[in-house]
Amino acid sequence: MSTSTGRVVCRCAARALALVFALTVQPLAAHAQVAGLTGTLVVTNKTPSTATIVDVGSGRTLATLPTGTNPHEIVLSSDGALAVVTDFGGPRRTLTVIDVPALRVARTVDLGEHRAPHGIAFLPGDRLVAVTCEQTRTVVIVDVVDGVVRHAIPTEANGSHMIGVTVDGARGYTGNMRDHTVTALDLTAHRAVRSYPVPAVPEAINVTPDGKEVWVGSNQTGQVSVLDPATGTVTTATQGLKWPYRMLFTPDGRQVIVPDPTLHEVRFIDRAARREIGTLALPGAPQGVTITPDGRYVFQSLSAETRVAILDPSTRSVVGYLTVGGTPDGVAYTSRVVAGATAR
């Protein structure tokens, strides 16, 4: 082979390798963001005891902030300004409040005698949160601006773990994992109203905005059930799960989305028909889950990875990933974009 011929062959081979490289890398780069999807995601990382703030449009990590030990759940105010984290480990009595636009921890709220905060929901007004305190069998109402506990409501049950709240903030429902019951709470009068038996070890729980249906996932039986709080009737929506971890309604009320970290899958249920309509295999132990206000995208934390998957619930497929911290769990999304933020 002549020298000139060899050079031509080398150049052709180099171009071919470059083309293969481009075709291989391009899909991976596209997964860093989804066209037209912007906003901010805040995620709890249990093992490092941090919270990651991510710019969804670019996929950049804006900040990694310290929380209390072993943070689990997180909620965002309706304006996206405040994130509140339940610190489930360590002293087991604090909430971490994050100023999202400022990318900083605003304050730590000491709950005093109330221990093991876990499930959390904002009440109307973006100032008060309702928080389950599993160890001391209460749901506390906390003013996260002033940093004080305003009310404590005894659940009179063991293992009060997660909470769902009606859109008007008047009623709350918590699953009692060790008593196999759901407790209804009057969040205005600050008292427990009624207890309902449900299938064993109810962890995941949510209530429809109008308060007419309480959806419950039971760890021991692998069932997803629907409780009618007016009558106490419990019906089965689907079975065959191992760990129905969380219960998410789509904004239009048509679907219920249930991640199962043991089976490494996400179930999709028709809410009205109460039947399963699809399953997405999702390696990585899917746990915490949230959805955009328009219902177009779901953010699903992958506890066995350092990622959050972006799902399209209409096609039940993965359309992207965002990088976060270790053992991510709770996720919260706001369409608010942090202005002038720089990667850190």
Side-chain angles (χ1 to χ4, degrees):
M1 180 185 295
S2 68
T3 303
S4 61
T5 302
R7 288 173 181 167
V8 171
V9 170
C10 288
R11 284 197 297 269
C12 291
R15 282 195 294 268
L17 287 172
L19 178 60
V20 170
F21 181 80
L23 290 173
T24 303
V25 172
Q26 189 173 356
L28 295 176
H31 279 260
Q33 53 190 318
V34 176
L37 177 59
T38 61
T40 305
L41 197 72
V42 190
V43 183
T44 61
N45 308 303
K46 289 186 288 192
T47 303
S49 296
T50 60
T52 301
I53 303 177
V54 180
D55 177 70
V56 173
S58 67
R60 293 181 303 150
T61 295
L62 301 177
T64 300
L65 303 175
T67 65
T69 305
N70 203 218
H72 277 224
E73 298 304 308
I74 185 169
V75 286
L76 268 170
S77 57
S78 62
D79 61 1
L82 289 180
V84 187
V85 174
T86 55
D87 304 321
F88 195 57
R92 311 194 85 190
R93 68 181 197 190
T94 61
L95 306 178
T96 300
V97 181
I98 296 171
D99 182 331
V100 177
L103 303 176
R104 67 179 181 88
V105 173
R107 65 191 59 87
T108 298
V109 181
D110 191 328
L111 303 178
E113 65 186 279
H114 309 291
R115 299 301 176 96
H118 193 274
I120 184 169
F122 255 108
L123 301 182
D126 287 343
R127 188 182 185 101
L128 302 177
V129 293
V131 185
T132 62
C133 289
E134 184 175 321
Q135 185 175 322
T136 44
R137 308 199 317 167
T138 56
V139 168
V140 293
I141 308 299
V142 183
D143 185 324
V144 295
V145 176
D146 287 345
V148 296
V149 175
R150 296 296 185 194
H151 305 280
I153 308 170
T155 64
E156 301 176 355
N158 296 303
S160 304
H161 193 67
M162 295 295 293
I163 189 168
V165 175
T166 55
V167 71
D168 61 4
R171 277 284 191 273
Y173 295 88
T174 182
N176 307 304
M177 295 176 65
R178 292 192 294 279
D179 282 356
H180 318 305
T181 59
V182 166
T183 299
L185 307 166
D186 185 328
L187 299 178
T188 303
H190 310 120
R191 63 185 181 88
V193 176
R194 182 177 174 181
S195 180
Y196 306 87
V198 295
V201 194
E203 177 175 354
I205 191 167
N206 209 344
V207 57
T208 53
D210 60 9
K212 292 183 178 180
E213 296 175 7
V214 180
W215 284 63
V216 181
S218 296
N219 295 349
Q220 184 170 309
T221 64
Q223 291 172 262
V224 173
S225 306
V226 185
L227 165 68
D228 180 346
T231 64
T233 303
V234 178
T235 57
T236 300
T238 193
Q239 302 182 73
L241 290 90
K242 293 293 185 181
W243 189 2
Y245 191 76
R246 294 294 175 261
M247 205 71 58
L248 175 72
F249 301 124
T250 56
D252 61 10
R254 294 181 179 179
Q255 289 189 57
V256 185
I257 299 172
V258 186
D260 187 324
T262 299
L263 293 178
H264 298 277
E265 64 185 28
V266 179
R267 302 282 184 103
F268 298 83
I269 303 169
D270 184 307
R271 190 194 62 78
R274 298 183 184 178
R275 63 178 180 84
E276 193 171 311
I277 55 176
T279 300
L280 171 65
L282 191 58
Q287 292 196 345
V289 62
T290 193
I291 194 167
T292 56
D294 61 9
R296 292 185 62 188
Y297 297 105
V298 169
F299 297 96
Q300 177 68 69
S301 70
L302 301 176
S303 184
E305 302 181 7
T306 55
R307 299 195 296 179
V308 170
I310 306 173
L311 313 182
D312 182 340
S314 65
T315 59
R316 295 185 277 281
S317 62
V318 178
V319 295
Y321 291 96
L322 297 168
T323 300
V324 293
T327 53
D329 189 358
V331 292
Y333 169 82
T334 175
S335 56
R336 179 173 184 165
V337 176
V338 175
T342 57
R344 297 186 175 186

